[in-house]
Amino acid sequence: MLDLPAISYASATRPRLGRGVLRGRRPNDDEPCDGAAEAEARQAQARARHAEATRSDFELGHDIRAGLMDARDSQLHALRQIVCYVLVRHYRELIAYGAGWTDPERQQPVGDTGRHEPRQVDAIIDAEMQRALVDPDPLRGIAQLTARLGAAFVLDPAGVTRTKALGTDRMARKLHDELPGGDSALRVAAWEFMRPMLSPALVALNRDAFVVDQHVQTTVDLDGHRAASDLDELGLGDEPDAEAA
């Protein structure tokens, strides 16, 4: 029978260590280092990409400033399309309202009454867009459409029906919401643009709604209150004697 060395229970149950552990490191010690290096490389790449994009954006700003100094005809026509489509997107019904009540070509007869009212909104907008886009002068094309929008705010309401789709009952709120009262820059610009195209009657009708009088009006007679006065006029009288008191 062979003589076996005595083996304790602790040594028998102790897990065996690999060679890497015996040499002072674990088998996966290199993995965290590799992950950190990859993360740092990704961050460096992101910083470089950001710097490149920033330079590109600044160069774009420089090119825009230079390009606008001498815009091409194709750019001006494209500008006209952009502005007109934006106007229609935001002010579709107001443009139809202004054009429908000012241009007989945008109206249709109402039965056999002899009266005429605006056509459907889509029909009016299509016609107005066509007129604006075919004008040889892009700026004038923009002005054509803007004038129809501006007309919505300076119409004589007595010539407009109340209850139709483009009637005053329905459009009054939209007009107020899009161009509220007060001395706003947009309101001033709208009046400056439309004023030369208005008849004297329409100027008188709309002036108070667009032109804000900066002078405060009052019914108090300020000159009378500010006039010089002496003690006699104030009716203060003499002070009573101490003995009489």
Side-chain angles (χ1 to χ4, degrees):
M1 187 171 183
L2 297 177
D3 294 333
L4 297 178
I7 301 176
S8 66
Y9 174 80
S11 62
T13 58
R14 184 183 300 121
R16 295 184 179 182
L17 300 180
R19 295 181 179 178
V21 175
L22 296 177
R23 295 176 181 175
R25 64 178 181 85
R26 296 180 181 273
N28 295 329
D29 279 349
D30 289 339
E31 292 185 2
C33 297
D34 294 342
E38 291 178 0
E40 185 177 353
R42 287 194 298 269
Q43 292 177 357
Q45 185 178 9
R47 288 193 295 268
R49 180 68 185 92
H50 175 74
E52 179 186 0
T54 300
R55 286 193 299 270
S56 176
D57 291 341
F58 287 153
E59 290 174 359
L60 173 61
H62 173 77
D63 293 342
I64 288 174
R65 290 189 292 272
L68 290 178
M69 295 176 64
D70 188 18
R72 302 175 181 177
D73 288 341
S74 60
Q75 289 177 291
L76 296 178
H77 285 282
L79 171 64
R80 184 241 309 270
Q81 287 186 306
I82 293 172
V83 173
C84 288
Y85 279 113
V86 169
L87 287 175
V88 167
R89 176 183 291 269
H90 290 281
Y91 304 107
R92 183 181 187 82
E93 289 187 311
L94 293 183
I95 293 172
Y97 179 69
W101 290 108
T102 61
D103 192 341
E105 295 183 2
R106 305 293 180 253
Q107 295 190 345
Q108 60 188 2
V110 182
D112 56 357
T113 62
R115 295 186 297 106
H116 290 75
E117 293 179 354
R119 299 159 61 190
Q120 296 295 323
V121 171
D122 290 344
I124 296 175
I125 291 299
D126 290 344
E128 288 300 327
M129 281 290 287
Q130 180 68 14
R131 175 160 57 185
L133 296 178
V134 300
D135 195 298
D137 185 348
L139 181 58
R140 190 168 57 208
I142 294 173
Q144 290 270 9
L145 193 61
T146 306
R148 271 60 187 183
L149 171 60
F153 297 94
V154 294
L155 285 171
D156 188 337
V160 181
T161 59
R162 292 180 52 195
T163 58
K164 299 295 183 178
L166 294 178
T168 54
D169 287 352
R170 185 169 179 270
M171 300 304 297
R173 181 61 180 270
K174 291 181 178 291
L175 292 169
H176 179 269
D177 290 344
E178 295 297 344
L179 197 63
D183 191 20
S184 66
L186 181 58
R187 196 169 187 84
V188 171
W191 179 251
E192 192 69 22
F193 179 67
M194 295 301 298
R195 165 64 184 85
M197 295 180 275
L198 301 181
S199 67
L202 286 178
V203 170
L205 181 66
N206 291 283
R207 185 181 185 281
D208 290 342
F210 281 88
V211 179
V212 178
D213 190 355
Q214 299 296 335
H215 300 286
V216 178
Q217 297 181 358
T218 178
T219 58
V220 178
D221 185 5
L222 296 179
D223 291 335
H225 282 276
R226 293 169 181 169
S229 60
D230 55 25
L231 294 178
D232 292 336
E233 292 176 339
L234 296 176
L236 297 178
D238 296 330
E239 292 291 333
D241 294 336
E243 296 179 356

